[in-house]
Amino acid sequence: MEYDAYIQTCPTRMVLDRLADKWAVLVLGRLDDKPVRFNQLKREIDGISQKVLSQVLKKLERDGLVSRAIFATVPVTVEYAITPLGRTLSATVDALRRWAEDNIETVLAAQQKYDRAAV
Amino acid sequence: MEYDAYIQTCPTRMVLDRLADKWAVLVLGRLDDKPVRFNQLKREIDGISQKVLSQVLKKLERDGLVSRAIFATVPVTVEYAITPLGRTLSATVDALRRWAEDNIETVLAAQQKYDRAAV
DNA sequence: CCGTATCCTCCGGGATACTG
DNA sequence: CAGTATCCCGGAGGATACGG
């Protein structure tokens, strides 16, 4: 099966592709505590551009992982929040986070050994 | 903190960046059963190019997730196998796989709702 | 069989400027 | 404040050819 076909029939790949996104996990993590406004998010996630933040939020909203609330203040206020579904994903990502933290030393050691051998 | 600096100090991001790789998870999954040779792997993972497969295997080997064994047959045989460390990561990825399978319907429904509203 | 080397294309994403 | 529009560049990755 070709990759394009595969990705559309494989839930895991869909989720991984979302998490793979350079910024999506950071956004989700940032929303975990409390709802945040667009520019606040942009300030807090250093280095992200307006365009990319906008794209990431749209994808997350489309997947039902993040919600978007508009308040008719002047000027307008938009708040992004994690959804219950997003929260369950966030919890699952924590398992991966734990693996990473538990094994980072081993991985780094393997890398150094590999690099030394390559010289 | 800039992203480049962030990624080097964040184990989670390192791991996610590895999993994010278009093919790494597929390779790891393919090795989960038994060791496989290079061209065999290339045939089984449809659509991957020699160059990319080679790159992915090198990264996984560097991280200590995959091992490489050379047999002095004629012509030479090279077998790639998952390491114990790789196997623990693979197990953790399963948690994500389960989340994906359990929630794919919800996500797809959210996407369709989003798309209908956007018309 | 197991790769590396080279070329080339495509597009993700940054910078910048502008709008409701 | 909350985005969209446009331009542009670097790097990922496919195709192809060649080397050990």
Side-chain angles (χ1 to χ4, degrees), chain A residues 26-51:
Chain A
L26 287 179
V27 171
L28 227 47
R30 205 64 211 72
L31 294 179
D32 226 336
D33 304 331
K34 58 174 191 330
V36 185
R37 284 173 297 124
F38 186 88
N39 278 338
Q40 182 68 19
L41 220 39
K42 181 174 178 334
R43 271 190 301 274
E44 293 189 0
I45 302 177
D46 204 16
I48 196 168
S49 69
Q50 272 192 334
K51 185 174 113 178

Side-chain angles (χ1 to χ4, degrees), chain A residues 16-80:
Chain A
L16 277 175
D17 272 6
R18 179 67 67 251
L19 297 180
D21 189 295
K22 207 177 170 183
W23 304 104
V25 172
L26 287 179
V27 171
L28 227 47
R30 205 64 211 72
L31 294 179
D32 226 336
D33 304 331
K34 58 174 191 330
V36 185
R37 284 173 297 124
F38 186 88
N39 278 338
Q40 182 68 19
L41 220 39
K42 181 174 178 334
R43 271 190 301 274
E44 293 189 0
I45 302 177
D46 204 16
I48 196 168
S49 69
Q50 272 192 334
K51 185 174 113 178
V52 172
L53 178 56
S54 175
Q55 287 170 344
V56 168
L57 285 170
K58 264 185 191 162
K59 286 181 188 173
L60 291 174
E61 193 197 351
R62 180 167 185 268
D63 289 349
L65 301 170
V66 158
S67 64
R68 184 173 180 273
I70 308 173
F71 301 96
T73 52
V74 179
V76 64
T77 300
V78 178
E79 252 184 22
Y80 291 89

